[in-house]
C-alpha cells in the first residue's frame, strides 16, 4: 500500500464530540459568555468595513438595485445562519463549520472546510487591520502626528512594514489573552458606538431623501455579465455580481458558532446570538443602502473607498462625515476582535484534534488559549504588515461560501441520517432553507471573479498536500491517544468510519 493510500484511509473517519467534563483540563475552555455577548460578537463582526466601503462597490455593479443585492446576500446568509443555529445547538463544541463537517462527513471534508476557514479569517483580520491603519494614519496626520509612509505601508506599496496594522492586531491579541469575557464586554460597548454612527448617517440622509435617485432601478440587469461601470471602464456588473461582493459585508455570524464551548447556556444562547445578529444586520444594511441612494445619486459615490463619508460631504454635512470617520477608527477593532477570536478557535480545535500541532491547544489558568492566540497573531501580523491584500481579499468570500455550503449540507444530512435526534433549535422548513442556502452559495461562488476562484483552487490543492503529508497521520495518532486516555483501550476504526 502506498503512503498516499495509507493517508487517505482516514478520509471518512467521523469525530465524536467529547463531553466537556471528559476533556483534559488543559484543553478545556472557560464558559464565560451569555447571549448579549454573542449577539454583540456577531454584530461586531458583521457590521464593519463591509457597510463602510462596499456600498459604493455594490452600487457601481448594480446601481440603485444594490438594495436588492443586499437583500439577496442577506437571505442566503440567513438560510446559512439558521443551519448554523441548528448544528451549533446539536453539537455545542468549538470549531464551527469545521467541527460539524468532521462529525457528519469525516476528516477530509472537515480538513477542507477548516483550511477554507483559516483562509477566511486570516484574510479578514489582516484586511481590516490594514483598513484600520489607513483610518488611524489619516487621523494622526490630521492632528500633526503623521507617521513616515515607510512605516504605514507594506513593501508592495513602497514601504517597509505597516506598523499600525501590526499594532492593532497585537492589542486585540492581548485582550483575548487577558480574558474572553472582558474582551466581549469591551466589544459590546464598541458595537454600540458603531451602530449610533450608522443611525446618525440614516437620520442625516433622510432629510434630503429623493426618490428620483432610484431611477432606473436596475440599470445593469440581474445576472453577472461584463458591462461598463459608472466610469466607462469594463466591469463585471449585475445584481448578482454585486451580491457576490456584498456577501463579504454579511458574514461574521459564523464566529459566534466558534464560541460554543465558552457559552454559559449554549442550547439557548447560540441560536439567539446567530439568528439575532443576522436579522439585525440585514435590516441595518438595507436601511443604510436605501438612505445612501436616496440622499445622493449612486454615480457620485460608486467605487468610492469611503462612500458613506463621501455622501455626507456631498450633501454638505461635513461634521457628520468627521464623526463617521472617527467612529470607524474607534469601532473597526470589533471586526478584528470577532474574526481574530474565530480564527484562534478554529486553530485551537484543529490542533486539539491533531490536524495541527497539539501543543498549540493548551489553555492558560484563565481558560484562554494563549499559545494559539499568539500563533494566530504572528500569522495575521505578517500578512497585514507586508501585503496590501486588495487583489486577494475576495478569497475570504470563497472560503466562507465553502463553509456555508458544508453547514447547510450537514444539517440536511443529519435530518436524513438521524431525524429523531434531539434538536434544541429546529430550522423551519429545513429542506427549503438548506437547499436555498446551498444553491445560493454556489451561485454566489460562480459570481465571484475568475481570478478568485482560481486562487481558491490553488489554496485547497496546497491544503490537500499538507493534509496527506502531515495532518492526517498526526490526527490518527491523536485519536489513538485520546482513546487510551478515556477508556484505556486502543482506538479501532469501525466500518462506518467512526472511532470506537
Amino acid at each position: 500500500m502506498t503512503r498516499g493510500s495509507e493517508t487517505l484511509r482516514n478520509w471518512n473517519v467521523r469525530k465524536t464530540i467529547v463531553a466537556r467534563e471528559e476533556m483534559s483540563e488543559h484543553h478545556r475552555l472557560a464558559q464565560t459568555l451569555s447571549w448579549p455577548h454573542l449577539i454583540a460578537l456577531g454584530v461586531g463582526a458583521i457590521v464593519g468595513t463591509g457597510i463602510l466601503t462596499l456600498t459604493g462597490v455594490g452600487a457601481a455593479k448594480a446601481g440603485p438595485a444594490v438594495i436588492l443585492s443586499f437583500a439577496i446576500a442577506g437571505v442566503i446568509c440567513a438560510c446559512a445562519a439558521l443551519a448554523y443555529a441548528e448544528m451549533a445547538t446539536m453539537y455545542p463544541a468549538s470549531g464551527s463549520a469545521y467541527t460539524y463537517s468532521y462529525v457528519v462527513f469525516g476528516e477530509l471534508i472537515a480538513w477542507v472546510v477548516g483550511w477554507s476557514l483559516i483562509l477566511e479569517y486570516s484574510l479578514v483580520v489582516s484586511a481590516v487591520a490594514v483598513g484600520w491603519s489607513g483610518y488611524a494614519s489619516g487621523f494622526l496626520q490630521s492632528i500633526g502626528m503623521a507617521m513616515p509612509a515607510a512605516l504605514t505601508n507594506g513593501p508592495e506599496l513602497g514601504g517597509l512594514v505597516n506598523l499600525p496594522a501590526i499594532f492593532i492586531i497585537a492589542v486585540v491579541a492581548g485582550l483575548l489573552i487577558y480574558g474572553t469575557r472582558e474582551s466581549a464586554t469591551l466589544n459590546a460597548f464598541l458595537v454600540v458606538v458603531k451602530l449610533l454612527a450608522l443611525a446618525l448617517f440614516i437620520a442625516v440622509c433622510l432629510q434630503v431623501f429623493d426618490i428620483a435617485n432610484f431611477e432606473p432601478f436596475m440599470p445593469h440587469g440581474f445576472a453577472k455579465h461584463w458591462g461598463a461601470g459608472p466610469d466607462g471602464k469594463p466591469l463585471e456588473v449585475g445584481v448578482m455580481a454585486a451580491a457576490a461582493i456584498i456577501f463579504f459585508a454579511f458574514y461574521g455570524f459564523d464566529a459566534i458558532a466558534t464560541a460554543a464551548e465558552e457559552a454559559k447556556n449554549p442550547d439557548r444562547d447560540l441560536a439567539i446570538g446567530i439568528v439575532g445578529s443576522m436579522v439585525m444586520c440585514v435590516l441595518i444594511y438595507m436601511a443604510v443602502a436605501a438612505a445612501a441612494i436616496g440622499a445622493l445619486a449612486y454615480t457620485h459615490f460608486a467605487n468610492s473607498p469611503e462612500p458613506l463619508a463621501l455622501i455626507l460631504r456631498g450633501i454638505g454635512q461635513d461634521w457628520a462625515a468627521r464623526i463617521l470617520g472617527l467612529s470607524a477608527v474607534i469601532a473597526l477593532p470589533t471586526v478584528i476582535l470577532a474574526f481574530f477570536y474565530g480564527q484562534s478557535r478554529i486553530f485551537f480545535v484543529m490542533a486539539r484534534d491533531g490536524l495541527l500541532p497539539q501543543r498549540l491547544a493548551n489553555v492558560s489558568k484563565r481558560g484562554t488559549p494563549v499559545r494559539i492566540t499568539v500563533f494566530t497573531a504572528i500569522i495575521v501580523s505578517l500578512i497585514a504588515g507586508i501585503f496590501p491584500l486588495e487583489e486577494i481579499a475576495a478569497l475570504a468570500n470563497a472560503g466562507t461560501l465553502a463553509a456555508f455550503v458544508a453547514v447547510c449540507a450537514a444539517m440536511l444530512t443529519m435530518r436524513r441520517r438521524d431525524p429523531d435526534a434531539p434538536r434544541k433549535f429546529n430550522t423551519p422548513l429545513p429542506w427549503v432553507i438548506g437547499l436555498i442556502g446551498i444553491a445560493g452559495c454556489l451561485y454566489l461562488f460562480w459570481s465571484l471573479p475568475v481570478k478568485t476562484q482560481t486562487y481558491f483552487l490553488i489554496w485547497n490543492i496546497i491544503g490537500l498536500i499538507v493534509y496527506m503529508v502531515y495532518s492526517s497521520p498526526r490526527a490518527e495518532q491523536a485519536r489513538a491517544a485520546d482513546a487510551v486516555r478515556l477508556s484505556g483501550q486502543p482506538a479501532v476504526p469501525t466500518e462506518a468510519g467512526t472511532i470506537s
Side-chain angles (χ1 to χ4, degrees):
M1 185 180 292
T2 64
R3 178 181 177 84
S5 60
E6 289 180 353
T7 298
L8 291 176
R9 72 183 178 186
N10 295 320
W11 73 273
N12 65 337
V13 170
R14 298 200 301 268
K15 178 178 179 176
T16 299
I17 300 297
V18 178
R20 175 182 174 80
E21 58 273 12
E22 294 180 358
M23 292 182 184
S24 299
E25 188 172 347
H26 62 281
H27 284 172
R28 195 182 303 167
L29 296 166
Q31 292 179 300
T32 57
L33 303 180
S34 55
W35 68 263
H37 291 116
L38 297 179
I39 287 183
L41 183 69
V43 174
I46 299 169
V47 180
T49 50
I51 191 62
L52 293 174
T53 62
L54 292 181
T55 304
V57 175
K61 292 177 176 290
V66 68
I67 297 174
L68 184 57
S69 299
F70 272 111
I72 291 171
V75 166
I76 294 171
C77 280
C79 290
L82 291 170
Y84 263 91
E86 179 167 318
M87 295 303 296
T89 53
M90 281 187 73
Y91 304 109
S94 286
S96 183
Y98 158 77
T99 294
Y100 314 147
S101 298
Y102 212 154
V103 170
V104 177
F105 300 121
E107 184 179 276
L108 180 58
I109 299 299
W111 170 262
V112 172
V113 171
W115 192 249
S116 298
L117 288 173
I118 289 172
L119 179 71
E120 171 199 348
Y121 288 128
S122 296
L123 290 179
V124 170
V125 170
S126 302
V128 176
V130 171
W132 182 88
S133 171
Y135 279 109
S137 299
F139 176 74
L140 290 174
Q141 185 175 4
S142 69
I143 61 175
M145 298 177 61
M147 294 181 65
L151 299 180
T152 58
N153 292 290
E156 292 190 28
L157 295 180
L160 294 176
V161 65
N162 193 329
L163 279 184
I166 295 175
F167 167 77
I168 193 61
I169 288 171
V171 170
V172 171
L175 278 172
L176 290 173
I177 289 172
Y178 178 70
T180 302
R181 180 180 177 85
E182 292 80 2
S183 302
T185 301
L186 176 61
N187 176 72
F189 170 76
L190 295 179
V191 165
V192 172
V193 172
K194 189 159 49 176
L195 294 182
L196 288 175
L198 291 177
L200 173 66
F201 172 82
I202 294 172
V204 171
C205 287
L206 287 179
Q207 298 176 25
V208 294
F209 192 89
D210 186 358
I211 195 67
N213 290 339
F214 289 84
E215 296 292 339
F217 182 68
M218 199 182 296
H220 302 299
F222 185 80
K224 181 189 78 169
H225 64 280
W226 281 99
D231 57 3
K233 295 180 180 179
L235 183 70
E236 287 181 314
V237 295
V239 170
M240 287 307 299
I245 301 301
I246 284 172
F247 178 77
F248 177 88
F250 275 102
Y251 61 76
F253 65 84
D254 51 322
I256 298 172
T258 66
E261 289 181 27
E262 291 162 278
K264 293 179 179 178
N265 185 357
D267 292 345
R268 179 197 66 184
D269 295 348
L270 288 173
I272 293 175
I274 292 171
V275 178
S277 62
M278 192 66 233
V279 170
M280 285 181 60
C281 291
V282 170
L283 296 176
I284 291 168
Y285 279 8
M286 294 188 69
V288 169
I293 295 170
L296 195 67
Y298 80 93
T299 52
H300 292 288
F301 62 87
N303 276 328
S304 168
E306 48 166 5
L308 303 191
L310 177 63
I311 290 168
L312 291 173
R313 289 194 294 268
I315 61 176
Q317 303 292 338
D318 289 5
W319 65 273
R322 286 193 292 271
I323 291 176
L324 188 71
L326 180 60
S327 72
V329 174
I330 295 173
L332 271 183
T334 63
V335 183
I336 300 174
L337 188 148
F339 280 94
F340 194 121
Y341 174 88
Q343 168 76 310
S344 64
R345 269 47 179 184
I346 295 294
F347 271 137
F348 174 81
V349 179
M350 293 180 75
R352 194 168 64 186
D353 290 340
L355 291 169
L356 295 175
Q358 278 199 304
R359 290 184 179 180
L360 294 175
N362 291 343
V363 298
S364 68
K365 293 180 180 179
R366 295 178 63 90
T368 58
V370 174
R371 292 181 182 179
I372 207 69
T373 302
V374 173
F375 177 69
T376 304
I378 292 171
I379 290 178
V380 296
S381 293
L382 286 173
I383 298 173
I386 297 174
F387 299 104
L389 295 179
E390 282 85 350
E391 293 186 6
I392 61 173
L395 270 173
N397 281 13
T400 306
L401 287 167
F404 283 9
V405 168
V407 173
C408 290
M411 179 194 72
L412 296 179
T413 300
M414 291 308 296
R415 286 280 182 162
R416 187 66 179 268
R417 181 186 295 167
D418 195 357
D420 299 323
R423 291 170 169 82
K424 304 296 183 181
F425 176 86
N426 282 277
T427 298
L429 301 172
W431 289 95
V432 174
I433 295 295
L435 291 175
I436 289 176
I438 292 171
C441 288
L442 291 176
Y443 192 17
L444 286 177
F445 185 86
W446 178 83
S447 299
L448 287 171
V450 174
K451 181 185 292 186
T452 299
Q453 297 168 348
T454 304
Y455 284 156
F456 182 69
L457 177 62
I458 293 172
W459 171 256
N460 276 288
I461 290 173
I462 295 171
L464 287 175
I465 294 172
V466 174
Y467 171 77
M468 290 188 291
V469 172
Y470 176 86
S471 298
S472 184
R474 298 301 189 282
E476 186 173 15
Q477 295 172 9
R479 285 192 296 271
D482 284 343
V484 170
R485 179 178 59 81
L486 291 173
S487 65
Q489 299 296 323
V492 179
T494 68
E495 293 181 1
T498 58
I499 291 293
S500 61

